[in-house]
Amino acid sequence: MPYFTTSDGTELYYSDQGAGQPVLFSHGWPLSSDAWQVELKLFADAGYRTIAHDRRGHGRSSRTYTGNDMSTYASDLAELVDHLDLTDLVVVGHSTGGGEVVRYAAQHGQGRVVKVATAGAVPPIMLKSGSNPEGTPIEALDAIRAGVLKDASQFWKDLAEPFYGANRAGSAVSQGAKDDFWRQGMLVGLAAAYDCVKAFSETDQTDDLMAIDVPIFIAQGGDDQIVPIAAAAEKSIKLVKDGTLKVYPGAPHGIYGAYQNELDQDILAFIKG
């Protein structure tokens, strides 16, 4: 298993397979690069080099107490990309990973990144405020932190339900998918899981979105119960220079099933276009 050590001594696990133009995938909270297993194979089979890392504190990477913030996540990614010397790079991020790749592309990606794709991403800012009334109330975010501290194992089981829309009538999400969400959640360090809530909800990425000067594909499920679409994709598309927005009616926050199949084909088409 390949590991890379960042400048502050954090070990990052990453997967690297296939050959061709590089496509780097960044996962959501509290998951790991395993969340992209289907895409890593599908895109490699389509002729791309596919890379995905476990964010610091998550998966098989170091269980860090410090640096669990969006700027450090993006800096870690920049160091990994530099280490692998990736150019003509496409970055793809889901949820928190969407925030990570947006900040990376805006602040570190010049000369390397040629396209950005996000799905259910947290930018521009998730927290509800007077200027962002569509966002998530701080009380709901505090409840997430309390749940993680009280009984993380049960919290991941509970969170999988709205994450995949399993609490909706007619949901076809499998028990296996929910079990795998729990499995990945149990690998995250508690400090990283706790601190990441602030990172994904309170980081204002308005300037990052405005700074991106390459094409960006912004996707979000129309029934996303985790990241409010009115505070996320619908605002992000108005801030970017060269963006395409696609909303998937009825789709949840988690990438699964028919939504996953359609999204993957759309991203492949976006890269080729």
Side-chain angles (χ1 to χ4, degrees):
M1 295 188 297
Y3 281 87
F4 165 72
T5 302
T6 68
S7 56
D8 74 348
T10 300
E11 279 195 324
L12 298 182
Y13 167 87
Y14 68 96
S15 172
D16 185 355
Q17 51 192 281
Q21 181 181 10
V23 183
L24 189 150
F25 297 88
S26 181
H27 64 82
W29 175 90
L31 305 175
S32 71
S33 59
D34 287 353
W36 292 113
Q37 284 297 305
V38 170
E39 287 73 24
L40 291 170
K41 181 182 187 306
L42 178 67
F43 283 60
D45 289 348
Y48 296 96
R49 178 183 178 185
T50 58
I51 302 108
H53 67 299
D54 291 356
R55 186 173 300 115
R56 65 167 57 213
H58 297 66
R60 289 141 290 202
S61 293
S62 296
R63 290 197 167 193
T64 48
Y65 179 70
T66 59
N68 302 304
D69 59 83
M70 199 64 77
S71 290
T72 304
Y73 297 158
S75 178
D76 286 347
L77 188 56
E79 291 192 30
L80 176 60
V81 170
D82 290 350
H83 170 70
L84 297 174
D85 195 22
L86 303 177
T87 56
D88 195 27
L89 173 64
V90 178
V91 289
V92 181
H94 173 241
S95 196
T96 300
E100 180 180 286
V101 300
V102 162
R103 176 144 293 185
Y104 165 71
Q107 300 188 9
H108 305 278
Q110 291 79 5
R112 293 193 182 274
V113 174
V114 295
K115 289 185 178 179
V116 179
T118 65
V122 295
I125 186 166
M126 191 171 162
L127 179 65
K128 182 178 181 178
S129 65
S131 59
N132 189 39
E134 304 88 354
T136 302
I138 189 65
E139 293 81 8
L141 297 161
D142 287 342
I144 291 172
R145 281 182 275 258
V148 169
L149 282 180
K150 180 181 179 181
D151 186 347
S153 180
Q154 185 60 49
F155 185 77
W156 304 138
K157 288 180 180 290
D158 295 341
L159 183 60
E161 299 293 317
F163 186 91
Y164 287 116
N167 55 347
R168 300 303 201 205
S171 170
V173 64
S174 70
Q175 186 62 47
K178 293 187 288 184
D179 289 348
D180 196 48
F181 181 93
W182 174 85
R183 178 190 68 83
Q184 292 183 57
M186 289 303 292
L187 294 175
V188 69
L190 188 59
Y194 187 94
D195 290 349
C196 190
V197 178
K198 182 179 180 68
F200 72 62
S201 64
E202 298 185 39
T203 305
D204 189 342
Q205 297 193 253
T206 300
D207 289 346
D208 293 336
L209 290 164
M210 294 175 67
I212 291 175
D213 58 3
V214 298
I216 179 170
F217 177 70
I218 299 170
Q220 190 159 2
D223 189 32
D224 190 325
Q225 299 175 63
I226 306 298
V227 175
I229 191 170
E234 292 177 359
K235 287 191 174 180
S236 291
I237 193 62
K238 297 176 182 178
L239 294 168
V240 296
K241 295 181 178 72
D242 184 7
T244 301
L245 170 65
K246 182 166 182 179
V247 178
Y248 297 76
H253 184 67
I255 301 172
Y256 178 81
Y259 171 38
Q260 182 173 31
N261 294 337
E262 187 176 357
L263 175 65
D264 287 346
Q265 292 307 311
D266 287 341
I267 295 175
L268 282 168
F270 169 68
I271 295 172
K272 293 175 184 176

